[in-house]
Amino acid sequence: MSDTLFARACRREPVERTPIWIMRQAGRYLPEYRALRAKADFLTCCHTPELACEITLQPVQRLDVDAAILFSDILVPLPAMGVEVTFNPGPHLARPVRSAGDVAALRVPDAREATPFVLEAIRLVRCALPQTVPLIGFAGAPFTMATYLVEGGGSKHFDAIKGLLFSDPPTAHALLARCGETVASLLAEQVRAGAQAAMLFDTWAGLLGPADYRAFALPYVRRVFDRVTEVAAELGLDVPRIYYAGNAGGWLPACRDTGATVVGLDWRMDLEPARAQLGPELAVQGNLDPAVLLGTPALIRQRARAVLDQAGPIGHVFNLGHGILPQTPPDHARVLVDAVRECSSRRVA
Ligand code: 1CP
């Protein structure tokens, strides 16, 4: 793994071309995924290692991407914390967490007991993947997990989570600490099971201003990545730590203190100024607007080139700025992969 294109780009080493994978690359835009989902519901797919493995491999086979990401979901650890969740297709929690009592009742599970199916899926995928394609393990960042726990699902205004932060900070911190411990165990155990990179999705951190980001999100991300670093060192491995900073605003420079080695960005900001704020030590991942894949192949090629030009040849992993849209024609995803490959190798040659 230490020599894959993806690993070298994450380490900011020279590469012959820019690696690419696609956020939510296993999912509803793929007919082979929909065929499988017609027979098994979403949680069954997540809970059955053989199915999770098969779905993880689907986009690798069809698109020839440079990394696989485990098929699972950031909310998979919730039942082991004591919170039931259903998907249709977005998540819905029967009993959101709102009070100090609710927080105190949350369990902090060890991933080996709570989510053994995730670890087994990783072992299966590792056996099935070619050596050149690394497997990314992932979890939700503590603040984003807390957002779903408090809101009870997706939300328009996020007044429940923000209300909790400002009306009862000690309870908010107790909740974030429990999410952080759960996620640290999950991500560290994924590395032990064979995941070759560890990614945290902080989809909702963009709700926070800089001071609140530093208070409520950053310290908990740092703790998770510290645990990943410890386990990687124990195993003698170099494991890239990727932090998806959703809708990052004025707190982008604070990402330097998360312990991440790669920061994933959405399309709301250009990569060149983002790099200036992140400093020379971090690699970047992103950041094409997923809706571009609804345009023509010519537009996709042109926009891919623009992202590559912004990012430069070193320390860039190409990706979308958020998950691929379900209505995306699979052929357009392939056009993107081929365009990134072609454009970035021409640049190096
Ligand atoms: O019916 C279905 O098939 C369910 C749709 C679906 C899928 C395919 C959900 C429900 N989750 C997933 C898979 C998933 N989720 C992956 C798979 C690996 C991959 O190919 O990338 C990953 C990495 C996630 C991560 C995830 N889940 C995030 C973080 C990334 C992001 O998109 O911001 C979030 C926020 C979730 C919550 C979630 N789960 C599912 C949905 C539809 C959502 C979003 C709900 C919302 O808008 O709040």
Side-chain angles (χ1 to χ4, degrees):
M1 152 69 186
S2 62
D3 279 337
T4 62
L5 196 63
F6 170 84
R8 282 183 285 135
C10 290
R11 288 199 301 263
R12 301 181 45 89
E13 292 170 11
V15 281
E16 53 279 18
R17 61 176 177 80
T18 300
I20 173 171
W21 67 278
I22 294 177
M23 274 177 74
R24 298 279 187 107
Q25 63 191 15
R28 286 177 291 161
Y29 73 107
L30 286 180
E32 54 271 38
Y33 174 76
R34 288 199 301 270
L36 220 145
R37 279 279 284 100
K39 291 183 263 164
D41 68 23
F42 176 65
L43 277 177
T44 303
C45 293
C46 293
H47 290 164
T48 313
E50 291 74 17
L51 291 179
C53 173
E54 186 179 341
I55 299 170
T56 300
L57 298 174
Q58 285 175 347
V60 179
Q61 284 150 358
R62 181 190 273 260
L63 299 176
D64 198 19
V65 281
D66 296 304
I69 181 160
L70 180 71
F71 183 78
S72 185
D73 193 82
I74 61 167
L75 300 176
V76 155
L78 260 48
M81 298 178 80
V83 177
E84 288 311 317
V85 58
T86 52
F87 289 86
N88 184 28
H92 177 77
L93 281 61
R95 288 188 57 245
V97 169
R98 293 283 160 89
S99 66
D102 293 341
V103 172
L106 287 175
R107 290 195 293 273
V108 175
D110 179 313
R112 286 165 296 190
E113 284 150 36
T115 43
F117 48 88
V118 170
L119 310 179
E120 184 55 25
I122 286 178
R123 290 188 273 267
L124 292 180
V125 174
R126 275 295 304 278
C127 290
L129 272 179
Q131 287 296 314
T132 49
V133 182
L135 173 63
I136 303 168
F138 75 91
F143 180 75
T144 288
M145 293 283 284
T147 299
Y148 280 107
L149 282 166
V150 173
E151 296 290 340
S155 172
K156 262 209 175 100
H157 302 294
F158 298 96
D159 37 353
I161 179 72
K162 295 199 79 172
L164 180 70
L165 298 185
F166 298 119
S167 66
D168 188 356
T171 296
H173 281 291
L175 171 62
L176 288 158
R178 280 177 145 75
C179 291
E181 283 303 300
T182 302
V183 164
S185 167
L186 179 57
L187 207 52
E189 289 308 322
Q190 289 184 59
V191 169
R192 241 191 257 284
Q196 291 140 305
M199 178 156 179
L200 281 179
F201 287 98
D202 223 347
T203 304
W204 300 121
L207 295 168
L208 300 171
D212 294 318
Y213 178 83
R214 284 196 172 274
F216 293 112
L218 178 66
Y220 301 98
V221 173
R222 173 93 223 180
R223 251 172 258 171
V224 177
F225 279 144
D226 281 350
R227 185 86 72 83
V228 169
T229 306
E230 267 167 43
V231 167
E234 214 179 278
L235 300 169
L237 298 172
D238 176 20
V239 176
R241 299 179 296 277
I242 312 172
Y243 179 62
Y244 175 68
N247 208 353
W251 48 262
L252 188 63
C255 291
R256 294 184 201 196
D257 302 327
T258 55
T261 56
V262 183
V263 173
L265 295 157
D266 64 40
W267 62 94
R268 293 172 183 89
M269 118 175 14
D270 284 333
L271 289 181
E272 205 175 326
R275 267 195 194 282
Q277 292 188 56
L278 288 168
E281 277 161 25
L282 290 170
V284 292
Q285 177 176 280
N287 72 342
L288 188 72
D289 186 335
V292 167
L293 294 186
L294 305 180
T296 61
L299 177 88
I300 295 167
R301 287 189 199 100
Q302 179 205 332
R303 293 297 190 95
R305 198 172 313 125
V307 170
L308 288 168
D309 287 346
Q310 280 274 337
I314 300 293
H316 179 217
V317 175
F318 199 104
N319 207 320
L320 301 181
H322 204 174
I324 188 167
L325 299 166
Q327 66 269 41
T328 306
D331 289 354
H332 285 197
R334 181 72 208 215
V335 167
L336 175 67
V337 172
D338 291 343
V340 168
R341 203 154 277 177
E342 215 184 284
C343 263
S344 61
S345 30
R346 206 179 314 138
R347 179 178 58 188
V348 171

